[in-house]
Amino acid sequence: AIASAPKTTANEQAYVGALADRNGAEALEDRSQKLDGVVIWGLNAPETILAVATEVLAGEIASARGDHDSAVAYLRRAVELETAVVYDEPPTWNVPVRQILGAVLLAADLPSEAELSTELAKARKEADVEIDASRF
């Protein structure tokens, strides 16, 4: 069981607040659109990864502002997008979105949903390892 959400420092909160003030999520989304069609070595297109990053950033900003409902919605969308990321070595996206969602769910006083989110993150990681091992 999960005991409590990770605490953020004042510096972390100030940083997220500064990003929100500069409309960080919108700027990231604009950059993603400019990368449409760009091919980089690997299995995932840049716009796929930036779409995940955009939703995570928006969720983090909403959470820092205390808007847990919006934060959870953004992060659930990020989980959907992360699920579409093709497994690759090294990982193209290595930030476990379900764990971030779990922390926000704890902050929103939804501990049972947070536990489920982190358990799904663990299962996904184990499945990725099994898939990778089966290729050899």
Side-chain angles (χ1 to χ4, degrees):
I2 300 168
S4 63
K7 303 294 182 210
T8 57
T9 65
N11 286 342
E12 291 169 329
Q13 291 173 350
Y15 176 73
V16 171
L19 285 176
D21 290 343
R22 291 189 311 226
N23 299 316
E26 291 84 4
L28 195 55
E29 189 172 321
D30 288 344
R31 288 183 186 253
S32 177
Q33 292 170 359
K34 290 177 184 174
L35 288 173
D36 190 30
V38 171
V39 177
I40 297 176
W41 180 80
L43 300 175
N44 296 289
E47 59 267 14
T48 301
I49 301 306
L50 282 174
V52 177
T54 300
E55 296 298 319
V56 169
L57 178 59
E60 293 277 11
I61 290 169
S63 179
R65 290 180 170 168
D67 183 1
H68 298 300
D69 292 339
S70 293
V72 168
Y74 284 122
L75 292 169
R76 285 191 171 142
R77 174 74 179 134
V79 166
E80 291 174 17
L81 293 168
E82 179 189 36
T83 302
V85 172
V86 178
Y87 182 80
D88 197 4
E89 284 293 333
T92 311
W93 177 262
N94 62 1
V95 179
V97 178
R98 285 178 178 87
Q99 290 179 0
I100 298 169
L101 174 59
V104 170
L105 287 166
L106 279 176
D109 199 27
L110 299 167
S112 59
E113 287 188 48
E115 185 174 17
L116 177 61
S117 180
T118 54
E119 288 299 317
L120 288 172
K122 181 180 174 187
R124 166 100 195 258
K125 181 67 175 169
E126 290 169 358
D128 284 347
V129 170
E130 288 176 21
I131 290 168
D132 185 52
S134 69
R135 293 173 33 192
F136 299 102

